Amino acid sequence: MGHNDKSTWGQSHRESTHAIDPIYLNRWSPRSFSEKPVEAEVLHRIFEAARWAPSGSNEQPWRYIVARTPEDRATFLKFIMPGNTAWCDKAPVLALLLSTKLSSRDEPLRSHSFDAGTSWGYLALESVRQGLVTHAMGGFYPDKARELLHIPNEYEVEIVIAIGYQGEKEALSEAYQEREIPNSRRGLEEVVFEGSFGDSLST
Ligand SMILES: Cc1cc2nc3c(=O)[nH]c(=O)nc-3n(C[C@H](O)[C@H](O)[C@H](O)COP(=O)(O)O)c2cc1C
């Protein structure tokens, strides 16, 4: 089935006000992951997309640490907060996104987190194309991650990303089942201004 087939994705109640590629509506952050492992080639493809993100001075400050063996995933689960480990322990792949705070000339890089966010966005969208789901998590202990994964000080620890194939909603605990539904967004008029702050974009 194609990527535009709403019955495949089941997110038909997410509607855009203007015509856009359905991939933006189809990407969402479920918590239920199936046990199906992610093929190495598929995993490489999503990081390939992440690699092509734009960045300030093309510094490409993003770095990813991948955990897919039982040992590596167990290490990751030690620094993820309980509210997230409750569901992300089923994800076959966990990745930690870092960004270097220093440029290749050892100067402070103002846009390191911004650029890492763009890279994560690319990864998330390519994941949809590859039939995967992703879920970013800020709920983890960065200092513990730094210590356990030997991350140098010049790297900011950004987010953990759970990656895998979507599982059955029923596999989640009841509290999470209620939340297993794509959410919506603020209206365009709330986030895009024209001319000066607060002034609506004219039609
Ligand atoms: C930086 C960041 C941190 C997040 N942290 C968490 C988290 O700790 N736990 C969680 O369940 N979801 C987390 N999320 C997921 C967001 O809640 C989710 O992306 C948002 O509600 C929009 O929903 P959608 O991704 O399904 O479109 C995080 C997302 C981002 C981008």
Side-chain angles (χ1 to χ4, degrees):
M1 278 196 239
H3 290 105
N4 299 348
D5 184 337
K6 284 185 175 172
S7 64
T8 312
W9 301 94
Q11 276 96 68
S12 50
H13 61 281
R14 259 191 174 182
E15 281 175 18
S16 61
T17 30
H18 298 273
I20 52 169
D21 191 291
I23 197 167
Y24 302 104
L25 307 177
N26 289 335
R27 186 221 54 81
W28 69 292
S29 306
R31 291 188 172 82
S32 185
F33 286 85
S34 90
E35 283 172 14
K36 186 180 170 190
V38 179
E39 304 83 339
E41 173 57 22
V42 173
L43 197 63
H44 282 89
R45 287 180 196 154
I46 66 171
F47 286 109
E48 179 71 29
R51 181 182 160 230
W52 286 98
S55 59
S57 306
N58 198 21
E59 285 282 349
Q60 306 157 61
W62 48 81
R63 303 288 184 272
Y64 292 88
I65 302 178
V66 174
R68 49 182 167 164
T69 65
E71 296 76 23
D72 287 347
R73 286 167 60 234
T75 304
F76 269 52
L77 293 176
K78 286 182 194 163
F79 60 75
I80 298 175
M81 288 180 181
N84 287 324
T85 53
W87 53 269
C88 80
D89 60 348
K90 304 283 186 314
V93 182
L94 295 168
L96 183 68
L97 173 55
L98 316 173
S99 67
T100 176
K101 293 185 266 188
L102 295 178
S103 74
S104 39
R105 288 197 221 151
D106 270 350
E107 285 162 358
L109 207 53
R110 199 173 79 90
S111 62
H112 62 94
S113 288
F114 180 87
D115 296 339
T118 310
S119 174
W120 136 250
Y122 275 37
L123 180 146
L125 290 174
E126 183 59 27
S127 294
V128 176
R129 294 194 69 249
Q130 298 298 332
L132 296 168
V133 292
T134 54
H135 196 137
M137 290 171 270
F140 69 100
Y141 306 101
D143 291 344
K144 210 165 171 187
R146 189 181 292 286
E147 183 193 324
L148 287 169
L149 306 184
H150 315 294
I151 299 165
N153 283 337
E154 65 268 30
Y155 288 84
E156 187 74 63
V157 182
E158 303 282 1
I159 48 162
V160 181
I161 307 163
I163 302 163
Y165 292 97
Q166 192 173 353
E168 299 288 327
K169 178 177 166 179
E170 291 68 31
L172 291 169
S173 66
E174 261 178 42
Y176 287 121
Q177 279 189 37
E178 279 171 24
R179 297 163 66 184
E180 195 74 340
I181 185 160
N183 51 22
S184 196
R185 290 297 183 266
R186 296 178 195 273
L188 212 54
E189 70 291 347
E190 228 185 299
V191 296
V192 183
F193 308 134
E194 183 164 352
S196 63
F197 189 90
D199 293 347
S200 308
L201 184 68
S202 52
T203 51

